[in-house]
């Protein structure tokens, strides 16, 4: 699993740490495995029940198809005030047009996801493994995305050309955090990067992606990373995507349990 980057920012007092901590733990999607149903309220929609236990969710269906603004509004009304949705940018933008001539698509996405209101968290921009860093057009696109949709952006590149110092500086300048992924492809993707005020972890399961559960030692190690980052005032997201057999939900509960025992 990804480990915390080496850079340590200024130390905070214990009071400041508690005030600054921002931790979001959730799953890619809000289905409730039958084996864990007793850990959720018995009544309500799946999202209402999910939102009673978790503070965040990642919407991946937006990658494949658009949703009406009224759908996003209904979802936002189903969860508590502090709940946040991260939303995956459509593949038409990232995989098909690859940032080129996308303004109309961005406008549509903004109009739809604005239905989440203040509960919209980061927009996840996941790139195909074949998408090499395109130079200045990447910064122009990110700037357009921030202007049209939101300032909260997390980027998941999967081509080695994105993991260079000049790209890191660009992401920092644009205040775009780079996702830390497990399994990491390429290897530098194991570490969060870009804008240092947010860390966004996408954990897909290991050794078998989307299927394998993380062991307790891996959960404990990641809890230490989350606590360390949060105490530095960094906004920390952990999304489990090992959903095929329900391991994601179990691991999310386990991470919350470990952090609670640590008093975080």
């Amino acid at each position: 699993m990804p480990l915390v980057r080496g850079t340590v920012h200024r130390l905070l007092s214990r009071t400041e740490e508690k005030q600054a901590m921002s931790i979001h733990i959730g799953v890619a999607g809000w289905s409730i495995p039958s084996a864990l149903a007793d850990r959720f309220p018995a009544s309500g929609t799946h999202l209402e029940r999910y939102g009673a236990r978790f503070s965040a969710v990642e919407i991946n269906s937006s990658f494949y198809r658009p949703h009406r603004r009224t759908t996003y509004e209904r979802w936002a009304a189903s969860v508590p005030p502090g709940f946040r949705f991260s939303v995956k940018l459509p593949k038409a933008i990232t995989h098909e047009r690859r940032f080129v001539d996308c303004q109309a698509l961005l406008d549509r996405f903004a109009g739809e996801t604005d239905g989440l209101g203040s509960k919209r968290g980061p927009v996840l921009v996941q790139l195909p493994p074949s998408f090499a860093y395109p130079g200045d057009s990447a910064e122009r696109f990110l700037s357009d995305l921030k202007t049209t949709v939101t300032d909260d952006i997390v980027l998941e590149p999967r081509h080695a050309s994105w993991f260079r110092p000049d790209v890191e500086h660009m992401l920092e300048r644009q205040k775009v955090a780079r996702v830390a992924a497990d399994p990491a492809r390429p290897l530098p993707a194991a570490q969060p990067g870009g804008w240092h005020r947010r860390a966004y972890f996408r954990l897909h399961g290991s050794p078998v992606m989307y299927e394998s559960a993380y062991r307790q030692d891996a959960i404990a190690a990641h809890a230490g990373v989350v606590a360390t980052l949060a105490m530095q005032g960094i906004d920390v997201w952990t999304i489990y995507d090992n959903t095929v057999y329900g391991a994601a939900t179990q691991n999310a509960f386990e991470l919350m349990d470990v952090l609670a025992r640590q008093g975080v």
Side-chain angles (χ1 to χ4, degrees):
M1 292 177 66
L3 299 177
V4 64
R5 72 186 97 179
T7 303
V8 177
H9 303 286
R10 83 175 175 88
L11 298 176
L12 304 177
S13 70
R14 175 60 63 177
T15 300
E16 287 177 314
E17 288 171 355
K18 288 294 185 182
Q19 291 174 343
M21 279 194 288
S22 179
I23 297 173
H24 311 270
I25 298 170
V27 178
W30 52 78
S31 61
I32 296 176
S34 58
L36 299 172
D38 61 351
R39 297 202 63 171
F40 296 89
S43 61
T45 67
H46 276 206
L47 179 54
E48 288 170 337
R49 296 167 66 202
Y50 175 96
R53 294 292 179 264
F54 294 111
S55 62
V57 73
E58 185 180 274
I59 300 174
N60 278 294
S61 57
S62 55
F63 178 74
Y64 299 101
R65 63 186 185 278
H67 300 297
R68 295 176 180 176
R69 181 189 178 99
T70 54
T71 298
Y72 285 109
E73 290 172 345
R74 185 177 71 252
W75 289 344
S78 300
V79 293
F83 191 95
R84 295 293 179 268
F85 297 84
S86 67
V87 192
K88 196 170 184 179
L89 201 65
K91 67 177 181 179
I93 296 172
T94 56
H95 288 54
E96 296 169 12
R97 298 198 182 182
R98 300 194 175 204
F99 298 172
V100 177
D101 192 22
C102 292
Q103 190 59 51
L105 293 172
L106 290 177
D107 290 338
R108 177 177 181 173
F109 182 75
E112 293 165 350
T113 60
D114 279 349
L116 294 173
S118 62
K119 294 175 183 175
R120 184 175 60 194
V123 168
L124 169 63
V125 182
Q126 185 192 61
L127 305 182
S130 61
F131 190 174
Y133 180 59
D136 292 345
S137 64
E139 187 161 14
R140 287 195 298 271
F141 171 80
L142 292 172
S143 180
D144 289 344
L145 178 58
K146 291 173 64 177
T147 300
T148 307
V149 184
T150 180
D151 284 339
D152 292 334
I153 303 169
V154 293
L155 177 72
E156 186 177 13
R158 291 181 288 174
H159 189 279
S161 60
W162 288 84
F163 298 85
R164 304 192 314 243
D166 61 318
V167 181
E168 284 290 296
H169 294 154
M170 182 275 289
L171 294 176
E172 182 73 39
R173 186 165 60 247
Q174 287 290 326
K175 296 184 178 180
V176 172
R178 178 167 50 73
V179 168
D182 182 71
R185 298 172 182 171
L187 287 178
Q191 303 294 326
W195 190 46
H196 66 275
R197 303 311 301 167
R198 173 173 290 124
Y200 193 105
F201 296 89
R202 301 190 78 225
L203 308 181
H204 303 291
S206 181
V208 182
M209 286 184 69
Y210 310 122
E211 297 183 7
S212 297
Y214 288 101
R215 294 171 27 167
Q216 289 298 309
D217 56 347
I219 297 289
H222 185 62
V225 171
V226 170
T228 298
L229 291 170
M231 288 179 180
Q232 296 171 20
I234 295 171
D235 183 49
V236 188
W237 284 68
T238 299
I239 297 294
Y240 286 98
D241 190 30
N242 47 337
T243 55
V244 171
Y245 300 118
T249 308
Q250 180 66 42
N251 286 162
F253 274 127
E254 290 167 347
L255 177 60
M256 291 194 303
D257 291 344
V258 172
L259 290 169
R261 289 196 297 269
Q262 295 176 354
V264 177

